[in-house]
Amino acid sequence: MPFTSLIAPASPLSAQQVQDLQKLVSQLNPIQQAWVSGYLAAAAQLASGGNAVSAAPAPQQAAVLTILYASQTGNAKGVASKIKAAAEAQGVAVQLQDIASYKTNALAKEKFLIIVTSTYGEGEPPEAAVSFHKFLFGKKAPKLPELQYAVLGLGDTSYEFFCKTAVDFDEQLAALGAKRLFARADLDVDYADAAANWQQGALDVFSPLLKASGAASAQVIAWPGSTATAGSHSPYDKQHPATAELAVNQKITARNSTKDVRHIEISLADTGLTYQPGDALGVFFDNDPALVDAVLQATGNAGDAEVSLGGKTLTLRDALLRELELTQSYPSFVEKYAAATGNAELQQLAADKTALRAYLAERQTADVILQHPAVLAAQALVDCLRKVQPRLYSIASSQAEVGEEVHLTVGVVLFDAFGQTHLGGASGFLAERLEEGGKLRVFVEHNDNFRLPDHDTPVIMIGPGTGIAPFRAFLQERDNAGATGQNWLFFGNPHFTRDFLYQVELQDYLKRGVLSKLDVAFSRDQAQKIYVQDKLKAKGAEVWSWLQQGAHLYICGDGNRMAKDVHQALLEIAAEYGGLSAEAATDYFEQLRESKRYQKDVY
């Protein structure tokens, strides 16, 4: 709540005193707030004629539950926020913090800690947790005999290294001498119920210990600026999406391009949704009705059969259309479907994890059903499938420019296999099935780890393909703010004439000086393929000069190859033009990351 509401309506403080007090407490953490609260209470008792003491005893330091979240797409942050709310409801003081901004030297002083973390890509920590992960496994990691902790992992079983970051944190904390107070849970994408159960079990263990250590939340005032009060005031989130309207669906690649990229504009009128450049938009989608009909036929089901899902009763057809995943494939579905149908071939495949992943790499979930049809009860089919997850798209606009709209740059997932054309779930919905004027469910996923600096600071943006999206937002924001900081964009795609996304806009920005430099790499326009990392190295001396002048560096796009290749190019630039050894170059970019001068939005 606002600070003034804590002392209104009959405050004995002057306006200046309120201002001074607010300035002081905004700089305090929950432990310090508790101390000040106890100190003031004792001082007030003395002033009012209470029992005098020769010297006020030092108040007992209140124990605080620190909750760190390491989020790639916002899920871990959402779960951590719910744990915080539940703990405070039980009378526990909580400090909730993004692991990216956590001061690692504070770890040795922690007594009670919960970490909620996702895992990125092939078992790597999410971008926000890279520095903490490196610290925990490095030479400077402290012994932690006083720490009691628990770790909750969020992941996706379609990836080989499921919840590996959670495993890493859990095992390394124990190796450093900390006591595991509650067993780790590794949760799949449909995690809501399991996360709630873990939360309850963990707090049943943590709360009594915290209260015994003097952690009464009544001692802690939630002052403005405290991490305990940080959060969004929007009524809409992943669990409660807003209803918006598709305004524009425009193809921005040529007819003969190998890529189908759409510029999507969505009206947010009457939703109250706001966002910043760097945020993502979560999009819920309906599955293809033709695909739903094919699944119904393959399993011998009628669409009007009633099923239970998430405590609701609905028809099987509605469940398959709006609630269940039919496109993105994942191993647990094959295991469940094989068991439910008694299919020996799938059972054998499910037992070989390597073969199963290779099998699923070429198939959507519905393909498994259509290639192995079997009569299956409606509820049994529903129980095999997992709930559909919204897809997150980097926002390609600034509200300073577009007002109550949000723009996306969507690469349509489109491929032919097994004699049929396959479309991605969300991209197919936005590009082909939802008409302009149609309604869709959306929410904003805030990303404080991908933000512009002040408008005087130069920025280098590397965004090939649809990775250009957030940089379009950055340029709109800086254009409208009249920013003086220079902007340098590296963009790449296969062909200049077919795939130069937002070409007219970028050339206008270049002409007007909003965009200081533009380097493009069209890989297939010459015999030797040229990528953004090649352009980066070709301009290495100038790139290094910009970095030495304080430029912020951003990468958006494919994390499996492009981001790694770009990072390697940057290391080579640091070696060649900065004279750094391989180890020193690595440390240099780690320092940039820690100071938020090197940020990535990769997928």
Side-chain angles (χ1 to χ4, degrees):
M1 69 176 62
F3 176 80
T4 51
S5 67
L6 294 173
I7 58 175
S11 170
L13 303 180
S14 68
Q16 184 60 49
Q17 287 174 321
V18 169
Q19 184 177 349
D20 292 343
L21 183 59
Q22 181 177 5
K23 182 178 180 180
L24 168 64
V25 298
S26 67
Q27 303 171 18
L28 304 180
N29 63 35
I31 293 175
Q32 293 168 326
Q33 291 171 16
W35 189 94
V36 171
S37 179
Y39 176 84
L40 292 176
Q45 185 179 20
L46 285 172
S48 61
N51 294 329
V53 291
S54 57
Q60 180 184 0
Q61 187 180 62
V64 172
L65 173 59
T66 297
I67 303 176
L68 301 179
Y69 61 86
S71 202
Q72 189 73 23
T73 60
N75 291 336
K77 179 180 179 181
V79 170
S81 298
K82 289 183 178 180
I83 297 174
K84 168 186 176 287
E88 289 178 333
Q90 294 182 20
V92 171
V94 180
Q95 175 176 272
L96 175 67
Q97 194 167 352
D98 185 342
I99 204 167
S101 58
Y102 181 71
K103 302 298 183 183
T104 51
N105 59 8
L107 184 61
K109 303 174 185 177
E110 298 286 2
K111 303 297 182 185
F112 300 95
L113 174 68
I114 288 177
I115 298 179
V116 184
T117 181
S118 61
T119 294
Y120 164 72
E122 300 305 314
E124 300 164 13
E127 187 65 25
V130 169
S131 295
F132 183 85
H133 188 277
K134 183 178 180 181
F135 167 79
L136 207 61
F137 283 85
K139 295 179 181 179
K140 295 183 179 180
K143 297 299 181 182
L144 302 169
E146 303 299 319
L147 178 65
Q148 300 183 82
Y149 76 94
V151 176
L152 178 61
L154 304 183
D156 184 340
T157 53
S158 62
Y159 289 91
E160 182 177 358
F161 300 101
F162 175 60
C163 284
K164 186 177 184 301
T165 302
V167 174
D168 288 349
F169 285 160
D170 186 35
E171 294 181 350
Q172 185 63 6
L173 287 171
L176 293 171
K179 179 183 179 182
R180 184 184 296 108
L181 207 54
F182 193 69
R184 187 188 76 249
D186 301 329
L187 308 184
D188 204 353
V189 293
D190 191 8
Y191 59 81
D193 292 342
N197 291 335
W198 187 91
Q199 168 188 298
Q200 180 176 343
L203 292 182
D204 284 347
V205 178
F206 273 88
S207 292
L209 295 173
L210 281 152
K211 291 176 182 177
S213 300
S217 64
Q219 295 175 302
V220 180
I221 302 172
W223 304 103
S226 165
T227 54
T229 62
S232 171
H233 298 293
S234 170
Y236 301 112
D237 56 19
K238 181 179 178 181
Q239 286 70 41
H240 309 93
T243 299
E245 181 179 297
L246 177 64
V248 173
N249 169 11
Q250 178 184 2
K251 187 175 181 181
I252 54 175
T253 46
R255 183 177 302 174
N256 58 346
S257 173
T258 57
K259 297 184 176 185
D260 183 352
V261 178
R262 305 297 177 99
H263 172 71
I264 300 292
E265 298 183 6
I266 296 169
S267 171
L268 299 177
D270 302 323
T271 68
L273 286 176
T274 60
Y275 58 87
Q276 298 180 58
D279 289 340
L281 189 75
V283 176
F284 284 93
F285 59 93
D286 294 350
N287 285 312
D288 186 347
L291 191 61
V292 169
D293 290 339
V295 168
L296 289 171
Q297 183 177 355
T299 56
N301 277 293
D304 59 0
E306 289 193 344
V307 295
S308 177
L309 181 64
K312 299 186 298 182
T313 299
L314 64 168
T315 68
L316 177 58
R317 182 176 179 80
D318 284 345
L320 293 173
L321 271 173
R322 291 173 61 89
E323 305 290 341
L324 297 168
E325 184 65 73
L326 292 182
T327 49
Q328 193 176 70
S329 58
Y330 50 101
S332 60
F333 169 72
V334 178
E335 295 167 3
K336 292 179 180 179
Y337 186 74
T341 59
N343 187 296
E345 179 185 350
L346 288 178
Q347 288 174 341
Q348 182 178 359
L349 183 64
D352 185 339
K353 301 301 183 185
T354 302
L356 179 57
R357 293 184 189 283
Y359 172 83
L360 292 177
E362 302 174 345
R363 290 168 174 81
Q364 294 182 331
T365 294
D367 287 323
V368 180
I369 299 172
L370 301 182
Q371 292 172 17
H372 300 276
V375 175
L376 193 62
Q379 189 63 51
L381 174 61
V382 167
D383 292 342
C384 288
L385 295 162
R386 73 184 182 190
K387 293 185 72 173
V388 69
Q389 297 298 305
R391 308 302 197 247
L392 293 179
Y393 292 99
S394 301
I395 291 175
S397 57
S398 162
Q399 284 195 293
E401 173 105 358
V402 303
E404 290 187 316
E405 292 180 2
V406 60
H407 297 178
L408 308 177
T409 309
V410 178
V412 181
V413 176
L414 175 67
F415 63 96
D416 291 323
F418 318 115
Q420 291 185 327
T421 298
H422 292 62
L423 279 168
S427 64
F429 175 69
L430 290 169
E432 300 293 341
R433 297 194 296 278
L434 185 65
E435 296 183 354
E436 292 183 355
K439 304 296 184 182
L440 71 162
R441 296 164 291 159
V442 301
F443 62 96
V444 172
E445 189 60 62
H446 298 287
N447 183 3
D448 291 332
N449 296 310
F450 202 77
R451 291 284 187 246
L452 277 167
D454 64 73
H455 287 313
D456 298 327
T457 301
V459 299
I460 301 172
M461 304 166 284
I462 305 163
T466 56
I468 196 175
F471 303 135
R472 181 176 184 263
F474 279 16
L475 290 169
Q476 287 184 356
E477 181 81 1
R478 287 198 142 190
D479 184 25
N480 279 271
T484 58
Q486 291 187 299
N487 305 299
W488 188 354
L489 174 66
F490 288 84
F491 172 74
N493 240 347
H495 297 284
F496 172 83
T497 57
R498 308 176 195 174
D499 309 303
F500 196 164
L501 308 183
Y502 302 113
Q503 177 184 358
V504 174
E505 290 184 17
L506 294 177
Q507 289 175 335
D508 178 62
Y509 281 138
L510 198 60
K511 181 180 179 180
R512 293 194 290 114
V514 176
L515 190 55
S516 312
K517 296 178 68 66
L518 174 63
D519 280 272
V520 294
F522 295 102
S523 58
R524 273 47 169 200
D525 277 351
Q526 59 283 313
Q528 183 179 357
K529 294 178 182 177
I530 298 176
Y531 298 104
V532 286
Q533 60 267 27
D534 300 312
K535 290 287 187 176
L536 201 63
K537 287 190 287 187
K539 298 293 180 71
E542 195 169 2
V543 168
W544 183 251
S545 176
W546 275 49
L547 291 176
Q548 296 306 107
Q549 295 172 40
H552 284 224
L553 182 64
Y554 300 87
I555 302 174
C556 182
D558 169 49
N560 291 324
R561 295 189 60 182
M562 181 276 297
K564 293 177 180 178
D565 291 342
V566 166
H567 183 73
Q568 181 58 40
L570 291 169
L571 292 175
E572 293 174 15
I573 288 170
E576 181 174 356
Y577 299 100
L580 302 183
S581 66
E583 182 178 358
T586 298
D587 289 343
Y588 174 77
F589 286 105
E590 185 62 30
Q591 291 169 12
L592 289 190
R593 186 205 307 272
E594 291 177 357
S595 62
K596 293 189 178 295
R597 284 185 53 201
Y598 183 18
Q599 300 181 35
K600 299 178 185 177
D601 178 11
V602 295
Y603 38 84

